[in-house]
Amino acid sequence: MALLEAENLSITFGGLKAVDNFNVKIEKGTLYGLIGPNGAGKTTVFNLLTGVYKPTEGKATLDGTVITGKRTIDINKAGIARTFQNIRLFSQMSVIDNVKVGLHNIYKYSTASGIFKLPSYFKKEAEMEKRAMELLDVFDLGSERDYLSCNLPYGKQRKLEIARALATEPKLLLLDEPAAGMNPNETAELMDTIRFVRDKFDMTILLIEHDMRLVAGICEELTVLNFGQVLCQGKTSEVLQDPKVITAYLGE
Amino acid sequence: MSSKPKSKLLKKDTRSDLITYAMVLVAFAVVEIIQATGSMTSLMRGLLVPLCMYSILAVSLNLVVGILGDLSLGHAGFMCVGAYASSIFSVCTRETIENPWIRFPIALLIGGICAAIFGILIGIPVLRLKGDYLAIVTLAFGEIIKNILCSIYVGYDSKGIHMSFESESSLGMEMDGKLIINGPLGINGTPTDSNFIVGIVLLLITLFVVLNFIHSRAGRAVMSLRDNRIAAESVGINVTKYKLIAFSLSAFFAGIAGVLYSHNLNVLAATSKNFGYNMSIMILVFVVLGGIGNIRGSIIAACVLTALPEVLRDLKDYRMLMYAIVLIVMMIITSSPKLVSFREKYGLRQFIKTKMANRWTKEVQ
Ligand SMILES: Nc1ncnc2c1ncn2[C@@H]1O[C@H](COP(=O)(O)OP(=O)(O)OP(=O)(O)O)[C@@H](O)[C@H]1O
Ligand SMILES: [Mg+2]
């Protein structure tokens, strides 16, 4: 059975069908791409999958359990983590603290042991510190650990967001335009990082992207959305050859 | 590469905390020395407990305003709850528990817990809302609590507890009845268990709890809500839970400050001067001027702004003018971009940061 299955997911915003009958099956370990013109409904699909919006119709299952209707935090605990199109870091917190917030539900100790510095505080904090540094080092952010996250350059902010999402130990990682605003060098480096993350963390990744080189370079399968509807679905090479997709992108 | 700054962070937080504790202890020592040499005026002596009280209030409000990032204008209301609850307890048990070493700690717990319960009761419906609703509702709460306590008559006799909103005589108590809350005249005969040393100890406890909370897992969760609620939810942070924890912890210490206040005076009455919204706003001014989210700054601002009008008493009419000037100067110091960057440039912490930044640029090239 596929890791993520969405069946007929739909949502309407005051008459506008932002997502209409969205179906997808993503197998474990896949690098899956979601593409489409501006306003096609890609981000809305992410918001439906993570419980930010409740679908008007349809359902989604992760690893066999239904996730539609659950709260965002429960969906995260069930195993979906995401990044945002317009970066949402904890801007007034340090780089490492951003990752530690991601580790919140992994290394637990009670509020009281934190206040009174009981042994469990020191034990869990040390473990958390170690794990957070490992994650930061994957993204080459180790030397900026004490920076306020808002002071990081743009490309590094995007990486930090991925590190924070990975910290929650998800089964499925959703990346919303991870290469937006990056120069070609940074994009190439990001492609390597995404592949590396998939291999090292044995991760399934669904990503939205406008950069066709990145999509063609790393995605194994694709879904193309247009006006909220699935236009085409399948192996990357085949989808990108499809005349319908070419028209949707280039116009008539 | 990453091993070097590692120990630095742990040290940085703890070092900053230690400076704060040290500051309080040094202030305590200085005051004790002045007192020992006998050169302290009675005016100054009367200010000592209020200074501790205002510091506790400012630190605890900073937890909501600076760490949680919500605006609360009802801090005096929580203080009022703590003051009344503990005073009622102390007045009733004055004869049964004679030892203040036992009575006062219980009074503290009662005052703090009652205030925290009110914090939770108000927090549950309100913290779900966004924006300014919290400010409006907490403001209203503070005023309502103050007005209720200002007009209630409570007494007890062999038949039980009596309550009325009209007058003492309408309580209809037996001969052996004892009046506890006498309407606008409030509570009479609270044992004066507070003193400067108690105030300092309570301030240190408040600092210990608040600072440790901020540096713990829960504190980070609260700050993540402040910085970006949607992102916090996406990594599994329970919004309601952590907002309530921060809010009730803050109310708890406001209650503690109330206990300190009510046990410093013999008579406790709710007036708009001590528990009204003016008070709440004044605490907010301490927090804002001390730097939002800056715990040490809150204490400094609270002390400077409380002591100043008294110290300047000799200036008579120019007193409030001076006060206003100090307010403006402090505001400029804490928030003018030029001065902030000056401080950061020459501050110790920034020195370390610049060094790291230089190394980073080198790595990139
Ligand atoms: N909360 C909302 N209320 C009303 N309309 C919305 C809402 N969210 C999204 N929409 C609309 O749904 C449509 C799809 O938006 P979405 O953000 O999913 O597009 P997208 O494919 O991510 O586009 P882009 O490539 O620009 O990010 C748009 O027309 C948008 O205006
Ligand atoms: Mg989008």
Side-chain angles (χ1 to χ4, degrees):
Chain A
M1 193 184 55
L3 178 73
L4 179 82
E5 284 189 35
E7 282 170 37
N8 302 326
L9 274 188
S10 309
I11 188 166
T12 324
F13 294 116
L16 171 84
K17 285 202 158 178
V19 174
D20 191 10
N21 266 322
F22 181 79
N23 288 287
V24 81
K25 273 197 171 95
I26 301 179
E27 296 297 332
K28 195 170 181 320
T30 319
L31 255 167
Y32 202 106
L34 181 60
I35 64 171
N38 288 112
K42 305 177 296 291
T43 300
T44 308
V45 167
F46 274 21
N47 286 335
L48 288 173
L49 291 176
T50 53
V52 176
Y53 299 145
K54 305 271 172 278
T56 29
E57 253 179 88
K59 69 166 188 177
T61 55
L62 181 77
D63 235 359
T65 51
V66 179
I67 52 168
T68 28
K70 284 192 180 176
R71 293 180 304 167
T72 305
I73 67 164
D74 294 323
I75 292 179
N76 176 256
K77 285 177 191 166
I80 299 185
R82 72 175 289 187
T83 65
F84 297 86
Q85 186 170 352
N86 39 355
I87 302 174
R88 288 176 178 274
L89 286 173
F90 306 128
S91 52
Q92 297 305 308
M93 298 174 74
S94 69
V95 167
I96 193 163
D97 278 357
N98 269 267
V99 179
K100 283 183 181 172
V101 173
L103 292 169
H104 185 85
N105 290 320
I106 311 293
Y107 300 99
K108 293 186 176 189
Y109 59 87
S110 70
T111 305
S113 27
I115 289 175
F116 299 108
K117 298 213 165 166
L118 303 182
S120 64
Y121 163 84
F122 291 102
K123 183 163 166 278
K124 295 287 174 184
E125 278 291 318
E127 287 171 14
M128 205 186 259
E129 175 91 13
K130 186 159 163 277
R131 179 76 185 134
M133 272 325 285
E134 279 169 19
L135 282 163
L136 285 182
D137 283 339
V138 167
F139 293 91
D140 203 15
L141 286 166
S143 53
E144 283 102 344
R145 50 165 290 159
D146 287 340
Y147 279 45
L148 280 190
S149 62
C150 62
N151 291 340
L152 284 181
Y154 192 79
K156 297 218 168 203
Q157 293 198 4
R158 288 230 169 259
K159 286 182 173 179
L160 178 57
E161 231 192 356
I162 301 177
R164 182 183 69 189
L166 278 177
T168 66
E169 299 189 354
K171 295 173 185 158
L172 174 68
L173 181 62
L174 309 180
L175 304 177
D176 199 341
E177 304 199 15
M182 287 189 178
N183 64 34
N185 283 338
E186 288 176 319
T187 308
E189 196 199 341
L190 181 77
M191 283 165 69
D192 290 337
T193 319
I194 292 175
R195 271 198 218 97
F196 176 79
V197 165
R198 194 264 303 266
D199 298 338
K200 178 172 158 99
F201 296 87
D202 200 15
M203 190 61 56
T204 313
I205 298 176
L206 171 61
L207 66 89
I208 297 176
E209 195 42 74
H210 279 302
D211 187 323
M212 279 307 152
R213 277 196 310 147
L214 186 144
V215 172
I218 63 173
C219 294
E220 288 137 2
E221 285 181 64
L222 279 185
T223 289
V224 186
L225 271 186
N226 198 18
F227 295 113
Q229 286 174 324
V230 175
L231 191 68
C232 188
Q233 218 160 28
K235 292 255 172 304
T236 302
S237 50
E238 290 161 20
V239 169
L240 290 179
Q241 303 288 312
D242 195 302
K244 276 186 295 182
V245 176
I246 296 169
T247 353
Y249 264 89
L250 301 178
E252 299 289 333
Chain B
M1 170 184 81
S2 55
S3 59
K4 206 174 156 197
K6 192 175 208 160
S7 50
K8 238 172 212 167
L9 174 88
L10 283 176
K11 269 195 207 137
K12 194 181 88 186
D13 280 350
T14 0
R15 197 200 301 137
S16 163
D17 291 2
L18 287 178
I19 293 175
T20 311
Y21 297 128
M23 185 186 81
V24 174
L25 288 174
V26 167
F28 172 71
V30 169
V31 168
E32 287 296 303
I33 290 169
I34 297 178
Q35 259 181 339
T37 55
S39 51
M40 177 159 293
T41 61
S42 65
L43 194 80
M44 286 302 286
R45 197 167 304 122
L47 266 182
L48 294 178
V49 174
L51 282 176
C52 297
M53 178 190 87
Y54 285 122
S55 297
I56 295 174
L57 285 168
V59 168
S60 58
L61 183 63
N62 210 337
L63 196 56
V64 170
V65 176
I67 307 301
L68 177 59
D70 269 329
L71 189 55
S72 163
L73 296 178
H75 219 52
F78 296 119
M79 179 192 168
C80 184
V81 169
Y84 266 78
S86 61
S87 262
I88 292 172
F89 168 79
S90 293
V91 167
C92 293
T93 56
R94 208 178 166 148
E95 274 98 48
T96 31
I97 312 175
E98 278 184 359
N99 186 348
W101 289 99
I102 301 171
R103 190 187 344 111
F104 190 61
I106 301 177
L108 278 170
L109 276 182
I110 289 179
I113 289 172
C114 285
I117 289 173
F118 271 84
I120 293 172
L121 288 180
I122 294 170
I124 288 173
V126 176
L127 288 173
R128 288 165 182 274
L129 302 171
K130 286 162 203 153
D132 306 327
Y133 291 97
L134 183 67
I136 295 167
V137 175
T138 47
L139 182 71
F141 156 76
E143 287 301 293
I144 291 170
I145 275 288
K146 183 202 82 198
N147 288 335
I148 288 177
L149 289 173
C150 192
S151 50
I152 199 170
Y153 295 82
V154 178
Y156 70 92
D157 59 16
S158 46
K159 281 191 187 148
I161 295 175
H162 299 260
M163 209 154 81
S164 157
F165 280 101
E166 276 145 36
S167 65
E168 191 193 337
S169 52
S170 67
L171 286 174
M173 287 195 294
E174 303 285 308
M175 286 304 287
D176 62 342
K178 193 177 164 217
L179 189 64
I180 304 174
I181 305 181
N182 187 9
L185 296 179
I187 302 177
N188 215 324
T190 312
T192 44
D193 294 334
S194 298
N195 56 41
F196 182 51
I197 296 182
V198 168
I200 287 287
V201 169
L202 289 178
L203 175 58
L204 286 172
I205 292 175
T206 310
L207 279 176
F208 179 82
V209 171
V210 170
L211 290 174
N212 283 356
F213 176 79
I214 293 174
H215 300 318
S216 77
R217 170 176 173 266
R220 280 192 297 265
V222 171
M223 287 189 278
S224 76
L225 295 178
R226 167 197 70 190
D227 283 358
N228 202 313
R229 193 182 53 87
I230 293 177
E233 277 183 304
S234 86
V235 292
I237 305 292
N238 188 334
V239 178
T240 323
K241 177 180 165 189
Y242 284 101
K243 278 196 164 193
L244 270 185
I245 288 180
F247 200 63
S248 53
L249 198 61
S250 162
F252 179 87
F253 285 107
I256 294 285
V259 181
L260 194 60
Y261 175 82
S262 68
H263 288 69
N264 189 37
L265 311 162
N266 220 295
V267 182
L268 172 71
T271 64
S272 47
K273 197 159 163 275
N274 57 2
F275 298 132
Y277 64 87
N278 275 328
M279 176 68 139
S280 297
I281 304 264
M282 195 163 80
I283 306 166
L284 187 64
V285 167
F286 298 156
V287 172
V288 172
L289 286 186
I292 290 180
N294 181 347
I295 301 294
R296 200 187 309 151
S298 290
I299 300 180
I300 297 173
C303 290
V304 169
L305 293 180
T306 310
L308 200 66
E310 304 299 332
V311 175
L312 297 179
R313 206 165 270 270
D314 295 340
L315 294 178
K316 306 226 168 66
D317 288 348
Y318 296 106
R319 185 160 69 113
M320 289 327 277
L321 181 69
M322 284 298 292
Y323 188 82
I325 291 175
V326 170
L327 268 186
I328 294 168
V329 169
M330 272 180 88
M331 201 150 61
I332 292 172
I333 290 176
T334 44
S335 57
S336 137
K338 273 205 181 127
L339 276 170
V340 166
S341 69
F342 175 85
R343 266 197 340 221
E344 284 182 352
K345 213 165 170 183
Y346 297 101
L348 178 70
R349 199 182 312 163
Q350 204 51 35
F351 178 69
I352 298 166
K353 261 194 205 158
T354 345
K355 257 173 55 180
M356 280 174 60
N358 288 341
R359 191 171 52 194
W360 177 69
T361 19
K362 255 180 240 148
E363 257 168 45
V364 168
Q365 281 156 1

